[in-house]
Amino acid sequence: MFDSSLFFVSTNNATNAKAHGCNNGALMDRFGVLIQGLLAIVAFSTLMLKRFREPKGERRPWRIWFYDTSKQAIGALFIHFANVFLSNLAEEDPCSLYLMNFLLDATLGMLLIWAGVKAISCVVEYKQFTLLTFGEYGDPPQAAAWIGQCALYMLIMVFEKTVISLVLLIPGWTKLQEVLLDSIPNPQLELVLVMLIVPFIVNAIMFWVVDSLLMRKYKNKTTPESPESSKSVEVSTRIVAEESQVLLAAGNDTDPSESEHEGDVIQDPSKIKIMDSSYCQQV
């Protein structure tokens, strides 16, 4: 006799094994949003760490640091929500599609971002648009320069995401998507791995590298506003003033003798003239 219960059990196990993973819409539910918020806090803390790791003489002021890192924040949010939108288009397991997008952004996309920053920097330098140079905001820093640089950086990010989306249209990615997270049976564990652990490690490296591309390279160890430079200026002016006083005092001491000597020299010709005139009268 054929046992139908065994057939239904085997089919149910097969379907459950095939259907494990993130459900459609899992990236934007309450747990997914919580994981994304935690990722944002932890990832951008690496930029804080990078600032304090900078040499003290080259460390950026907080306002300049905010202008530099906020461009990355806007670009990263755009890439993140674009990946979430594209992943939700998948019928099954959007987490694996999100991970594929993210890994391509971190590899091929990183190369595209580097090329875009270099290309725009060359054009800006050729056209002499100083305020559009990445990391240059004027003195004092101007918000208009920051807005212009944000617009240029967003153009780079749109270009990067467009190229990555076209790459994903190449046949063969669906097979990789099926086996990418196939060994993880728990959907929430897969979500934490895809939305927190892997993005944190990769974003920490990306933020560090891109911030080095966008920041201004400060070569002076001390700025004119630093207390060390102001003290050195005061000491140098004091030394110059003392030297000038010594020179004036030495000049005043030598003037009377020189004037007396010059007077003697001047008096001798007058005596000679008087003697000559008296001699002529006698003759």
Side-chain angles (χ1 to χ4, degrees):
M1 294 289 294
F2 177 74
D3 192 357
S4 61
S5 61
L6 294 176
F7 174 76
F8 286 114
V9 169
S10 62
T11 54
N12 288 332
N13 291 331
T15 54
N16 290 331
K18 187 177 181 179
H20 73 75
C22 293
N23 297 322
N24 193 1
L27 298 178
M28 293 304 295
D29 62 4
R30 183 177 298 177
F31 184 72
V33 172
L34 178 63
I35 293 298
Q36 294 174 46
L38 184 61
L39 171 65
I41 295 172
V42 174
F44 284 105
S45 64
T46 59
L47 294 174
M48 294 281 293
L49 177 63
K50 183 178 183 296
R51 181 185 182 273
F52 288 110
R53 292 282 297 174
E54 294 173 357
K56 194 171 183 180
E58 301 177 3
R59 189 174 298 167
R60 291 167 288 178
W62 282 109
R63 188 175 181 181
I64 301 298
W65 176 85
F66 172 76
Y67 282 167
D68 288 340
T69 57
S70 59
K71 292 194 289 284
Q72 278 204 80
I74 296 172
L77 287 175
F78 167 76
I79 294 296
H80 171 74
F81 286 111
N83 289 339
V84 171
F85 173 76
L86 293 174
S87 300
N88 284 329
L89 297 179
E91 297 179 357
E92 295 181 357
D93 198 8
C95 288
S96 60
L97 184 56
Y98 179 89
L99 185 60
M100 288 174 55
N101 275 279
F102 183 79
L103 293 178
L104 283 174
D105 289 328
T107 52
L108 178 59
M110 188 68 198
L111 181 62
L112 294 173
I113 293 172
W114 176 82
V117 170
K118 292 298 182 181
I120 288 181
S121 298
C122 291
V123 173
V124 168
E125 184 178 359
Y126 178 75
K127 295 293 184 179
Q128 296 182 353
F129 297 145
T130 306
L131 293 180
L132 292 180
T133 304
F134 289 117
E136 296 284 348
Y137 305 102
D139 188 17
Q142 302 178 17
W146 171 74
I147 294 173
Q149 294 177 31
C150 283
L152 292 178
Y153 188 69
M154 282 301 300
L155 288 177
I156 296 174
M157 302 307 288
V158 170
F159 167 73
E160 183 267 342
K161 194 67 243 178
T162 303
V163 173
I164 297 299
S165 300
L166 293 176
V167 170
L168 284 174
L169 295 178
I170 299 174
W173 292 106
T174 54
K175 295 181 179 179
L176 179 61
Q177 180 184 352
E178 291 176 359
V179 300
L180 192 60
L181 298 172
D182 199 45
S183 60
I184 301 176
N186 191 347
Q188 290 188 344
L189 179 60
E190 182 178 345
L191 185 63
V192 172
L193 180 66
V194 169
M195 300 293 292
L196 181 62
I197 298 176
V198 175
F200 167 68
I201 298 173
V202 178
N203 275 330
I205 301 173
M206 287 183 62
F207 288 164
W208 202 288
V209 174
V210 174
D211 186 60
S212 299
L213 289 174
L214 298 180
M215 68 180 289
R216 176 186 175 186
K217 305 300 184 295
Y218 293 93
K219 296 182 180 180
N220 297 327
K221 296 294 181 183
T222 56
T223 57
E225 294 81 8
S226 62
E228 291 83 3
S229 61
S230 61
K231 289 180 180 179
S232 62
V233 171
E234 291 178 359
V235 171
S236 61
T237 54
R238 190 180 303 169
I239 292 173
V240 171
E242 291 176 357
E243 290 178 352
S244 62
Q245 290 177 1
V246 171
L247 292 175
L248 289 175
N252 291 331
D253 292 336
T254 56
D255 283 344
S257 61
E258 291 179 357
S259 63
E260 290 176 0
H261 180 71
E262 290 176 359
D264 294 336
V265 175
I266 294 172
Q267 287 175 3
D268 291 338
S270 63
K271 291 180 181 179
I272 293 173
K273 289 181 181 180
I274 295 172
M275 290 174 65
D276 291 338
S277 60
S278 61
Y279 178 76
C280 292
Q281 289 178 358
Q282 291 178 2
V283 174

